[in-house]
Amino acid sequence: MRVMKFGGASLRDGAAIERSLRVVERAARSQRVLLVVSAQEGVTAQLARAAEEAVRGELGAWDALRVRHRSTLTQLDLAGDLLDRHLRELRAILEALQTSARLDRRMRDYVLSFGERMSARVVAAVLRKFGQAAAPLDAYDLGLTTASSQGEGALLRAPTRELRARLEAVPGIPVVTGFLALDPAGNLTTLGPNGSDLTAVWFGEAVAAEEVVLWKAVEGFMTADPDVVPEARRIPVLGRHEAVEFAVNGAEVLHAGALEPAERGGIVVRVADVAAPHAPGSRIEAVTPHVGPLGIAHRESVALYKETLSLGRDQGAQLAELLRELSEAGIEPHRASFSGRELVVLVSDDERTAAFAARRAPRATLERGHASFAVVGRRIGLDPTLPARVAALAARVGVALIPAPGDTSSASQAYLVPATALTPVVRAVHAGLFGATPTKESGELLPHPHRSAPSERSA
Ligand code: ASP
Ligand code: MG
């Protein structure tokens, strides 16, 4: 079975949905296909706003969601009442929220679930209109179970072999909701941004797929974000370890957790571009074929949260406690370390973090206005010459690098710069590391003359 996942951008509107499903139709001629779908682009964020507004007593966002989905149905020439049941259920929940004092995670996830649930219905209906048998399925009915403190995809019970049998029994193409699961108490949970990637690979594991294709609105993994570095190039093949490093260092191509089931199941994950369905995209295999720099990931706006340690108490326990409190406040720690008597955590630079730090002052301080970037590549972390090379490239544009907190992974080296200097620095580093690299006919990167091959020891 071939698993194909379509992200929000590839389902943005009626035209995008039809274009994406032509790709499915072609694939389904030669192979059985399992589809996993995201919400239409922007809908998850719209639902999150709707939930927050409902708690404040407003229902305007529901109307916007209804209009958006109705117009998708019109564009696709589908029955206007296809989503009425879901829209009514959503409205009833939002109305119930109006009498709640606050929005808890359980209710928020319930509201968020409508994006994927509705898009699965739309996608299945379009396939049927194309003359292709298809059935929408909610992933949480198929046994995907996560912890209740969801948001980032801690899977408790993965889909099993029975699931495989169930999917195989579906006449036509199963169209499964991404991003959604249940906790052991039966509440809906969500899997965090790009969570559908994770769903797709979990299902890929369950059905023993050889390949899972994630269709997105990007060419694939790139040597840098093309919005920052216009010369950025597609990376044709990379290893799982490096793909994870891109994700954890801020590249939004893929959900980092998606590569765990890929590893377990020996599944090749391919990121493909819906706008260029015949282009090869990026293949994520077990190992990156070349040693050395592959690309640069970045975060535009980060801050260093620092907190004084209490002496005489276990430092690790204090860090663990802080990380838990950050997570409860909805703040994702990107990297963390001890430095002397201090805990240092790299977080995103926003009002939520600022408020968290203010509540814990004077023990806590927040150093704002940074950006971070990481050079990613096989055995990069073991290359002792890289920091000096990167520092020299940054110095060419007059910027001094600040060391990023936390350990160096074997597949990346991370740095901080003033946020205003991110673009020139990333461009200079990209030009220095990748600028002169020609590409072969196949699109495969040739080894760069400066790429060093550090020892194999701890890779
Ligand atoms: N709809 C969710 C999001 O916007 C999950 C996904 O698209 O994979 O991140
Ligand atoms: Mg998305």
Side-chain angles (χ1 to χ4, degrees):
M1 214 183 240
R2 171 188 294 216
V3 179
M4 303 173 94
K5 176 238 144 163
F6 286 86
S10 55
L11 306 172
R12 176 187 297 132
D13 53 24
I17 292 174
E18 283 193 338
R19 192 179 53 189
S20 295
L21 297 186
R22 295 283 173 207
V23 175
V24 175
E25 223 193 357
R26 267 197 304 279
R29 279 185 214 144
S30 57
Q31 226 175 340
R32 209 152 140 66
V33 170
L34 168 67
L35 273 194
V36 175
V37 294
S38 291
Q40 288 189 272
E41 186 174 54
V43 165
T44 303
Q46 242 178 321
L47 286 161
R49 271 196 306 280
E52 275 151 29
E53 284 178 22
V55 173
R56 292 200 303 267
E58 299 154 32
L59 281 180
W62 177 81
D63 220 44
L65 281 153
R66 182 183 60 85
V67 170
R68 164 102 190 251
H69 284 89
R70 279 294 185 97
S71 79
T72 301
L73 295 176
T74 309
Q75 288 157 15
L76 290 165
D77 223 353
L78 295 175
D81 61 358
L82 181 72
L83 299 172
D84 280 7
R85 187 174 65 80
H86 288 90
L87 288 165
R88 268 200 305 273
E89 186 185 340
L90 173 61
R91 184 169 174 106
I93 294 151
L94 294 174
E95 278 169 358
L97 276 176
Q98 287 183 295
T99 58
S100 307
R102 54 180 283 273
L103 181 64
D104 64 22
R105 187 160 214 162
R106 191 174 53 92
M107 286 309 278
R108 185 171 183 275
D109 283 351
Y110 189 4
V111 172
L112 294 188
S113 75
F114 285 89
E116 273 70 12
R117 290 161 66 193
M118 293 195 284
S119 80
R121 269 73 198 175
V122 172
V123 163
V126 175
L127 285 169
R128 286 196 297 259
K129 201 185 74 179
F130 285 177
Q132 176 82 61
L137 296 167
D138 292 310
Y140 48 81
D141 283 339
L142 297 170
L144 272 193
T145 312
T146 67
S148 327
S149 60
Q150 246 326 299
E152 289 306 325
L155 182 71
L156 293 182
R157 189 150 49 83
T160 56
R161 294 230 176 72
E162 301 106 75
L163 169 73
R164 182 176 181 170
R166 260 178 89 180
L167 289 170
E168 279 168 356
V170 171
I173 300 178
V175 183
V176 179
T177 56
F179 183 56
L180 306 175
L182 281 190
D183 70 8
N187 298 308
L188 268 161
T189 57
T190 59
L191 307 176
N194 281 329
S196 306
D197 293 345
L198 193 52
T199 313
V201 188
W202 278 340
F203 277 83
E205 190 189 0
V207 302
E210 269 161 37
E211 189 183 60
V212 172
V213 187
L214 308 175
W215 291 92
K216 295 173 180 261
V218 294
E219 259 185 80
F221 276 81
M222 305 293 286
T223 54
D225 181 342
D227 290 340
V228 174
V229 183
E231 312 74 62
R233 296 186 304 271
R234 181 177 56 89
I235 302 170
V237 185
L238 69 166
R240 288 185 202 114
H241 189 171
E242 289 69 36
V244 168
E245 287 300 322
F246 272 107
V248 300
N249 285 292
E252 284 163 5
V253 187
L254 183 83
H255 191 294
L259 295 164
E260 228 176 85
E263 171 111 42
R264 275 198 307 264
I267 298 166
V268 170
V269 173
R270 191 154 61 85
V271 175
D273 184 358
V274 263
H278 300 291
S282 295
R283 275 171 68 83
I284 308 168
E285 299 182 343
V287 235
T288 296
H290 307 287
V291 168
L294 262 184
I296 301 170
H298 77 268
R299 284 202 167 86
E300 263 161 36
S301 177
V302 291
L304 282 174
Y305 175 91
K306 299 183 179 176
E307 194 171 297
T308 316
L309 282 165
S310 316
L311 292 178
R313 275 189 58 215
D314 181 285
Q315 300 195 339
Q318 291 183 63
L319 178 59
E321 202 175 297
L322 172 61
L323 295 179
R324 188 176 42 74
E325 284 171 33
L326 283 166
S327 143
E328 274 164 14
I331 301 165
E332 187 196 347
H334 301 313
R335 309 172 70 90
S337 70
F338 305 99
S339 95
R341 289 190 48 204
E342 240 177 12
L343 298 174
V344 182
V345 187
L346 188 69
V347 288
S348 59
D349 187 356
D350 55 30
E351 291 320 309
R352 190 181 291 196
T353 337
F356 183 90
R359 281 199 300 278
R360 296 161 77 104
R363 201 153 58 91
T365 56
L366 191 66
E367 207 181 283
R368 305 185 67 169
H370 295 295
S372 65
F373 74 93
V375 179
V376 176
R378 185 164 159 219
R379 300 204 190 109
I380 278 293
L382 311 173
D383 180 349
T385 66
L386 188 70
R389 269 159 65 208
V390 174
L393 292 165
R396 280 195 207 159
V397 288
V399 177
L401 301 177
I402 307 158
D407 284 345
T408 296
S409 128
S410 74
S412 74
Q413 285 194 19
Y415 310 89
L416 301 186
V417 289
T420 48
L422 179 74
T423 300
V425 171
V426 170
R427 284 184 184 164
V429 174
H430 188 274
L433 296 181
F434 306 105
T437 311
T439 49
K440 279 198 288 194
E441 193 53 9
S442 64
E444 202 176 306
L445 293 175
L446 287 179
H448 190 277
H450 300 305
R451 281 184 194 177
S452 54
S455 82
E456 309 255 327
R457 274 171 303 136
S458 41

